[in-house]
Amino acid sequence: NISYASFAANVEKVAAIATVFPIFFFLVAALVALTTMTRMVEEGRTQIGTLKALGYKQGTIMSKYLIYSALATITGSIVGLLAGFQILPVILWNAYGSIYHLPPFITQFSWNFAFISSTLATLSTMGATVMAGHQALKEKPATLMLPRAPKAGKRIFLENIDFIWSRMKFTHKATARNLIRYKKHFFMTITGIAGCTALIVAGFGLRDSVGDIANTQFSEIFQYDLLIEKDDTGKDDAQLDQFLSDSKKVNGYTEAYGDIGEAKLKEKKFAASIFVPKDPSRFNQFINLRNRKTGKQIVFDHQSVVITEKLADALEIKVGDSVVYKDSDDYEGKFVVTDIAENYVGSYLYINKDDYTRVFEEELNYGTVLVKTSILEESEQEAALIEVLTGETVLNAEFMSQTRETYNNLLSSINFVVIVLILAAGGLAMIVLYNLTNINIEERRKELATLKVLGFHKKEVAGYIFRETTILSIIGTLVGLLLGTVLHAFVIRVAEATDLMFGRSISVMSFVLSAIITLLFSAIVDIMMYKKLKNIEMVDSMKAID
C-alpha cells in the first residue's frame, strides 16, 4: 500500500531525527545549568566560607546545591514529560493528519523513555553543579568570606593596531577590553548561541534536503512524465500503440527492460531496480544521468553500467569495481561499474543491453515504456491512464506527478518538525542569553552604578552591556552556522535509507533566516533585561562588604 509505505517512511525520518537532536538540547541545557549554578555558588561564597569555618564538610555544603539542582531538574522533567508525551506527539500527528487519513492519536506513557530522559537531565545538571561548586570549595574560608577580587584589566591585541585603536570611541574600547577580560562569559555565550543556531540551521537544512528530493528527482533526473509496465508476452498492443502515436498527448517515448532484484557485494545486499535501455542513445533524454559532485552528465552508451549514488555508498562501490546483480528469477551476474549517478528516490542499476544479454544469456523483452507527455491537468491524466490501462498488455501505468506529490507532502510535514525545532532552539537561546546577561549584570552591578555616577545616561549604560551581548551573539551565530552545516550533514546521513537520499546542500536563505532568528531572540532578551539595568541605583557604587 503506497500510503502506508509513505507514512512508514515519514515515521522513520522523524525517529532518526529524534535520535540526534536531544544530544544537542542536553548539551545546551547542561550549559544553562552550569551558568545558573556557578552564579548561585558565587552569590553564596560568604555563606560557604562561614560553613567551612564552622567545620562543615565539603560534601555537606555541596549537598545543598545538589539537592537544589536535583529538585529543579525533577520538577522540570515532570513538566517536560507531560509535554513530551502529550503535546509534541499530538502536534506532529495532527501535522501528518493533514496529509493522511489517520485515526485519533492515543498517547501512551513510556516509562523507559521517561527514565532515560529524566536520568540524563538529572545527571547533566548535577554534574554541572559539582563543576561549579568544586572550585569554590577548594578555597580557604577566609578567602570565601571576602568578595572575589575583580579581574585585572590588561592590554589587548587591538591596542597594538594603532590605526584601529586610535579611531575607536571610549565606550567601544571598554567593550573590547571587557570581551577579552571576561573569558568565561565570552566562551559560554558563544557556545550557547552557537549550539542554538546550529539546531536552527539543521532544521532549515533538513527542509531544504527533503525539498531537493521532489524538485531534483522528478524534474531534473527523471525527465519522463509517465511510466508504463507491460507483460512479458511480447504481443503487440493496438490500444497502447495508438496512445503512443498521438502527437497531441505524447512528445516522445523510449523502451527499456525493467526488473527488481538485488545488488550484492560480498556479504552486503540491497534491493535494486534495473533498467536496460533498448536505445542507449535516447536514454539520457528520459533519465538524466549525472555526477552529483561535478555536475557532469554521464553519457550512456553500449558499454555503460551505472549505479546510483546511495546504493554505491551502501555497497562501498567505486568506479571500476564489480557489482553482482541477482534478478527476480534468482539468477546472478557480475558487472563492472563505469559511473555513479546522482539519485534520491529508489536504488537503480542502468546496464547496457550487450553486457546484460551476454551475462544472463537471454533475449530481452522491453516491457517498460518511459513517456514524455504534454498532459498536465489531473483530470486529463486520469483519462490517459484509463486509456492506457485498457490495453491488452499493460499491467501498470503511473504519472510521475503522483509520486512527486507524495514527496511534496513529506516536505510539508517536515515543515512542522522544523517549526518545533526552531521554537525549541529559540527558547534555549533565550534562556542561555537571559542567564548569562543576568549574571553579567549582577557581577558588574557596582561597575554599572559607578558609570551612572560618572554621568552615563540609561541608554549609554544599556549599550555598555548590550553591545557586548550583541557582539557575542553575532560571533556565536557565525560559529553556529558552521556547526549547523556539520550537524545537518550528520542528521541527513542518519535519516537516510538505501533507497532514499536527501539533498546535501543548505540554501543561502536558510542560513540568513537562521542568523536573523537567533539575533531576534538576542534582541528580545536585551529588551527584557533593559528594565533590570534601569533599576540599578547610583548608591550601589558606594556599597562595600566589610
Side-chain angles (χ1 to χ4, degrees), residues 79-91 105-109:
V79 176
L81 292 174
L82 291 174
F85 285 117
Q86 299 292 330
I87 299 175
L88 290 177
V90 173
I91 292 173
F105 184 69
I106 300 173
T107 55
Q108 292 184 335
F109 192 89

Side-chain angles (χ1 to χ4, degrees), residues 19-320:
T19 61
V20 177
F21 282 100
I23 298 170
F24 284 82
F25 281 105
F26 271 119
L27 290 174
V28 176
L31 176 65
V32 172
L34 181 61
T35 56
T36 302
M37 297 313 298
T38 300
R39 178 59 190 164
M40 190 175 179
V41 170
E42 284 297 313
E43 288 179 343
R45 279 174 59 83
T46 304
Q47 186 181 25
I48 293 171
T50 304
L51 291 172
K52 286 192 72 174
L54 292 172
Y56 281 85
K57 295 181 179 179
Q58 291 187 11
T60 306
I61 300 170
M62 178 68 80
S63 65
K64 169 193 172 182
Y65 299 100
L66 289 174
I67 292 170
Y68 175 87
S69 64
L71 288 174
T73 306
I74 291 169
T75 305
S77 295
I78 292 171
V79 176
L81 292 174
L82 291 174
F85 285 117
Q86 299 292 330
I87 299 175
L88 290 177
V90 173
I91 292 173
L92 291 176
W93 187 263
N94 291 336
Y96 284 107
S98 64
I99 304 168
Y100 305 98
H101 293 288
L102 299 176
F105 184 69
I106 300 173
T107 55
Q108 292 184 335
F109 192 89
S110 171
W111 286 105
N112 289 335
F113 288 145
F115 176 77
I116 292 170
S117 58
S118 300
T119 301
L120 285 174
T122 304
L123 289 176
S124 62
T125 53
M126 292 183 74
T129 303
V130 171
M131 290 176 61
H134 179 68
Q135 187 63 37
L137 289 169
K138 287 198 308 183
E139 298 184 37
K140 295 179 180 179
T143 306
L144 288 168
M145 284 188 279
L146 292 173
R148 189 183 293 279
K151 288 184 177 292
K154 60 177 70 173
R155 290 176 65 86
I156 61 175
F157 72 93
L158 282 176
E159 294 184 50
N160 298 320
I161 309 175
D162 186 62
F163 72 92
I164 295 177
W165 188 255
S166 61
R167 288 170 171 77
M168 291 174 66
K169 296 180 181 179
F170 168 77
T171 52
H172 295 169
K173 291 179 179 179
T175 298
R177 285 196 179 107
N178 286 333
L179 286 173
I180 297 173
R181 181 183 179 191
Y182 300 101
K183 292 182 176 64
K184 185 177 179 181
H185 178 260
F186 179 90
F187 287 110
M188 290 182 80
T189 303
I190 288 177
T191 303
I193 295 299
C196 297
T197 306
L199 288 169
I200 298 173
V201 170
F204 277 121
L206 185 63
R207 187 191 63 173
D208 293 337
S209 296
V210 175
D212 283 346
I213 294 175
N215 294 329
T216 308
Q217 185 72 36
F218 300 105
S219 294
E220 299 177 20
I221 297 175
F222 287 175
Q223 297 189 345
Y224 59 91
D225 307 306
L226 175 63
L227 176 67
I228 300 173
E229 298 284 352
K230 300 190 296 181
D231 60 29
D232 57 1
T233 59
K235 294 180 181 179
D236 292 331
D237 191 328
Q239 183 72 23
L240 178 60
D241 292 341
Q242 182 180 346
F243 172 80
L244 294 175
S245 60
D246 188 347
S247 59
K248 293 181 180 179
K249 298 177 182 178
V250 176
N251 298 328
Y253 69 92
T254 191
E255 295 175 296
Y257 169 75
D259 187 34
I260 299 176
E262 288 181 343
K264 302 170 59 178
L265 184 65
K266 296 179 181 178
E267 300 301 320
K268 297 181 179 180
K269 57 181 179 180
F270 298 97
S273 302
I274 66 159
F275 279 120
V276 182
K278 183 178 181 179
D279 184 356
S281 63
R282 300 189 67 231
F283 190 62
N284 277 104
Q285 299 174 23
F286 294 84
I287 297 181
N288 180 24
L289 301 177
R290 66 188 185 189
N291 185 293
R292 180 182 61 84
K293 296 176 181 178
T294 64
K296 184 179 179 182
Q297 187 177 36
I298 299 169
V299 178
F300 196 91
D301 56 30
H302 292 282
Q303 297 179 331
S304 297
V305 176
V306 182
I307 188 172
T308 51
E309 183 176 349
K310 192 62 183 177
L311 182 58
D313 288 343
L315 293 171
E316 298 182 359
I317 286 177
K318 303 184 295 296
V319 173

Side-chain angles (χ1 to χ4, degrees), residues 375-538:
I375 306 171
L376 303 176
E377 297 295 330
E378 186 175 347
S379 58
E380 294 178 353
Q381 289 182 352
E382 291 291 337
L385 289 177
I386 293 171
E387 181 182 351
V388 170
L389 290 170
T390 55
E392 293 181 7
T393 63
V394 177
L395 300 176
N396 182 48
E398 181 184 17
F399 275 94
M400 289 298 100
S401 58
Q402 297 171 341
T403 309
R404 178 172 182 167
E405 186 63 27
T406 300
Y407 288 95
N408 283 332
N409 289 339
L410 174 60
L411 175 60
S412 63
S413 63
I414 286 291
N415 283 335
F416 286 97
V417 180
V418 172
I419 290 170
V420 171
L421 282 174
I422 290 171
L423 291 177
L428 279 175
M430 289 187 66
I431 292 170
V432 170
L433 280 171
Y434 184 89
N435 246 359
L436 292 171
T437 306
N438 186 51
I439 291 171
N440 193 25
I441 291 172
E442 288 298 327
E443 287 179 345
R444 298 164 63 183
R445 193 177 189 90
K446 194 172 180 180
E447 176 187 347
L448 296 172
T450 304
L451 290 176
K452 286 190 174 184
V453 171
L454 293 173
F456 279 64
H457 297 293
K458 292 177 181 177
K459 291 183 178 180
E460 290 175 319
V461 174
Y464 188 73
I465 292 293
F466 296 152
R467 192 179 296 111
E468 296 174 22
T469 305
T470 302
I471 292 171
L472 291 177
S473 296
I474 292 172
I475 296 173
T477 299
L478 293 175
V479 174
L481 294 178
L482 295 175
L483 182 62
T485 57
V486 177
L487 176 58
H488 166 259
F490 178 70
V491 169
I492 61 173
R493 292 284 184 183
V494 171
E496 283 179 342
T498 310
D499 59 351
L500 182 65
M501 187 175 85
F502 288 167
R504 295 291 190 266
S505 60
I506 304 175
S507 69
V508 175
M509 184 54 66
S510 292
F511 283 115
V512 172
L513 287 175
S514 300
I516 290 173
I517 290 171
T518 304
L519 295 176
L520 179 62
F521 283 122
S522 175
I524 292 172
V525 171
D526 288 348
I527 294 170
M528 292 168 64
M529 298 304 297
Y530 180 66
K531 185 177 180 181
K532 190 177 185 70
L533 285 170
K534 284 175 61 178
N535 292 335
I536 294 176
E537 300 293 339
M538 294 184 189

